[in-house]
Amino acid sequence: PTVLIIGYGMAHALEFGDAALFEKEMNRLLDAVGANDLRLIFLSPNWCFDLSSFVYSTFEMRYGPYLDVIQKIASERRAPFIKRTLMQ
């Protein structure tokens, strides 16, 4: 393969994990698969909730730190970051 699409982080965020640990694990994963030799595309975590009880502030509290980490890693690795939204 020449392209790796990374949609990673939703499960970690749903468990209210530590964003710093997530960053370390994400970089370890990318290094393990030889990501330096691939074109990378990073996706934001999926929207995973019941729309009838959706509260945006809850989403931001849970996913915000993960979005920041994924954007940071994408920037460091000179790769595009696609932020998926509710309307997609």
Side-chain angles (χ1 to χ4, degrees), residues 45-73:
N46 293 327
W47 289 73
C48 181
F49 51 80
D50 176 1
L51 286 176
S52 65
S53 63
F54 175 65
V55 177
Y56 190 78
S57 61
T58 301
F59 174 84
E60 281 296 314
M61 178 184 69
R62 188 174 285 186
Y63 288 95
Y66 291 84
L67 291 172
D68 294 343
V69 166
I70 296 166
Q71 285 178 305
K72 176 184 174 195
I73 293 171

Side-chain angles (χ1 to χ4, degrees), residues 6 13-14 23 36 39 51 54 56 66 76-77 82 87:
I6 303 125
L14 287 173
E23 181 175 2
N36 292 336
R39 292 180 56 200
L51 286 176
F54 175 65
Y56 190 78
Y66 291 84
E76 290 172 351
R77 293 182 181 251
I82 299 170
M87 300 309 291

